Amino acid sequence: MTNTQTTASAETMSATDRLVAKAEIYDVIMRYCRGVDRSEPELVKSVYHEDGYDDHGAMFQGPGWEFSKFFAPRDDGEPSDSRAVHFIGNHYVEFQSADVAFSEASFVTWSHSPVDAHNASLFTFCGRYIDRFERRGGEWKVAHRICLHEWNRVEQFPTDPPHSLPDFAAAFVQAARAPDDATSHWEWLDKPGVRPGANPTDPPVFPGRGTAPLIARE
């Protein structure tokens, strides 16, 4: 926001104004998480103002729009075998004015990557997004972000049975990166059978139901 712009003070904001602004800011953070997890660089880009800045330490420091390119699909067109999931925890917003807010969002990410044909690694990262949000043209976006590291853990484990349940897991609809993920195809929810591979005319099947011991209910 330039020095020539004027804005109402935070004290003039009503309780409703604050709640709406917090919800809009939270939605921007959710959009960022989805863009990263699903490898949608345009969605990540939409989080930042055109002059927005991202500080991820030694990983990246520069324009937010440039940072979004980090999450583009692989150049060779092959899907990545790595998977990532973001979870947002505590979220605190402090308003400097009606159009400027400081946001602190705690997060945990889990990144699952194959090591070889029989092993995989799980990288757990806990941190906080410290953001300066500015509302321009009625829309809240990140003007400056600093990503803080709290702690992390790296684990490696075998993926062959009995350390995994490949048959059970394979029975589920598999997550993917954009544009193959279900979130890129809301039309799959229009009616049963639209999703590729769906077979809604079959009777319900519960894998293992016939062999698993039943739990007695009192």
Side-chain angles (χ1 to χ4, degrees), residues 6-207:
T6 59
T7 184
S9 66
E11 288 73 18
T12 65
M13 299 178 67
S14 67
T16 300
D17 290 339
R18 290 175 180 269
L19 287 173
V20 170
K22 287 181 178 181
E24 292 176 344
I25 289 171
Y26 186 78
D27 186 64
V28 174
I29 296 173
M30 293 294 98
R31 196 161 73 235
Y32 171 84
C33 293
R34 179 180 174 184
V36 172
D37 292 346
R38 301 274 66 81
S39 292
E40 297 186 66
E42 288 301 314
L43 203 56
V44 177
K45 181 180 178 180
S46 73
V47 168
Y48 301 90
H49 286 295
E50 185 174 2
D51 59 349
Y53 188 85
D54 191 289
D55 182 355
H56 264 66
M59 175 183 171
F60 178 90
Q61 295 180 50
W65 284 15
E66 288 297 316
F67 180 62
S68 68
K69 297 177 181 178
F70 184 83
F71 304 100
R74 287 170 41 171
D75 293 337
D76 57 12
E78 290 296 321
S80 173
D81 291 329
S82 299
R83 293 288 185 268
V85 176
H86 280 70
F87 278 89
I88 298 297
N90 297 337
H91 182 220
Y92 176 76
V93 177
E94 187 174 299
F95 291 95
Q96 186 180 53
S97 71
D99 295 309
V100 178
F102 295 100
S103 167
E104 177 187 28
S106 300
F107 69 89
V108 179
T109 65
W110 289 273
S111 300
H112 180 278
S113 303
V115 175
D116 53 41
H118 306 286
N119 297 277
S121 67
L122 181 66
F123 178 54
T124 306
F125 186 105
C126 179
R128 285 177 288 142
Y129 296 126
I130 308 299
D131 297 324
R132 175 188 173 92
F133 273 88
E134 294 183 3
R135 181 168 56 182
R136 305 178 189 174
E139 187 173 9
W140 289 98
K141 289 187 178 183
V142 174
H144 194 132
R145 162 168 289 181
I146 299 176
C147 180
L148 303 182
H149 168 264
E150 294 283 0
W151 57 266
N152 69 271
R153 179 178 180 179
V154 180
E155 305 167 77
Q156 185 168 318
F157 51 88
T159 55
D160 295 329
H163 305 285
S164 65
L165 296 173
D167 294 337
F168 178 74
F172 286 83
V173 180
Q174 298 301 303
R177 300 296 180 92
D180 300 317
D181 189 67
T183 54
S184 298
H185 298 278
W186 295 119
E187 69 275 10
W188 292 357
L189 299 173
D190 288 345
K191 62 180 181 179
V194 174
R195 176 181 63 80
N199 198 357
T201 58
D202 282 352
V205 175
F206 298 91

